Amino acid sequence: MPTFDLPGRRLGTSGGRPGARPLALARRAPWASSAYVAAVQSGAYALRPLPEADRQAVLRAHSTNVDNLRAGRWHTLLTSAFLVEEPLDPAHGAILLGILGGAETVWGSRRTAAVFAFGHLGASLLVYGGLRATDASKETRSAVDVGASYGLNAVLGAAAASLPHRAARAVAAAGVLGLVVRPLVREGRTFTDAGHLAALLLGLGAGHKGAFTRG
């Protein structure tokens, strides 16, 4: 009997429950990634009509900056992932949805969310610790630091490190590392560039060890 392979299940062309294959495919549809990107965009458009000072105040209040975390505003570790400074343009929105949605299709919603959260939380805390250790300026301590980029870099790193062939893993890991390291060696680099590298390394480690990405 011909069979079709789906993640976590082997389905035949006949037999079994009617409609099982469409249900399995539906479970693998990237609904969580779509909902997340929609939430990020909705929040950005909701803030857009506000006066610039008010909008910046809202973003700063939900940022994982030093002032907020040192004051115990740990909720910003969650809320910062759902806010962006400006609505995503079509290209960046498509990239975000494509990477997260592709990972969700392969790993499932829970594992993708776990990798994203691991990278976002881990990188945010590492950046916080680094800035406190280096006695950052007042402007940096209260900076706006929101967005999906930390989590996205972790998912990208985990995807690269979990490719099935060694050569493909090496090439993919080198490629994404090159993209993330490049901003760090240019003038005008910021602490978020270091955060992107931290998140990517966390993702590479998680993918290499199979943490979060394998059942």
Side-chain angles (χ1 to χ4, degrees), residues 12-188:
T13 55
S14 62
R17 290 186 304 165
R21 185 168 181 265
L23 287 175
L25 288 170
R27 283 196 292 270
R28 287 291 175 174
W31 62 269
S33 300
S34 301
Y36 172 70
V37 174
V40 168
Q41 287 288 69
S42 297
Y45 280 109
L47 292 177
R48 203 173 194 181
L50 295 178
E52 182 62 18
D54 293 342
R55 191 172 66 86
Q56 287 296 316
V58 171
L59 292 171
R60 191 167 285 108
H62 293 281
S63 293
T64 52
N65 58 37
V66 173
D67 286 350
N68 280 335
L69 294 180
R70 187 163 57 185
R73 302 185 188 102
W74 300 107
H75 66 276
T76 59
L77 290 170
L78 173 63
T79 57
S80 60
F82 287 86
L83 292 173
V84 290
E85 295 188 58
E86 295 287 346
L88 300 174
D89 60 52
H92 286 88
I95 291 171
L96 178 61
L97 181 57
I99 294 174
L100 295 184
E104 186 179 357
T105 301
V106 176
W107 301 332
S109 303
R110 291 182 181 177
R111 291 190 180 98
T112 303
V115 174
F116 185 96
F118 177 61
H120 178 76
L121 296 173
S124 296
L125 291 173
L126 286 171
V127 168
Y128 167 64
L131 291 177
R132 288 205 64 177
T134 56
D135 193 25
S137 66
K138 180 179 179 181
E139 181 181 9
T140 299
R141 292 197 305 270
S142 62
V144 170
D145 188 13
V146 296
S149 58
Y150 290 171
L152 179 65
N153 274 283
V155 171
L156 194 59
S162 60
L163 291 174
H165 300 292
R166 181 179 298 177
R169 288 196 299 272
V171 170
V176 294
L177 275 170
L179 288 174
V180 174
V181 169
R182 184 179 178 183
L184 283 169
V185 298
R186 69 183 181 189
E187 293 184 8

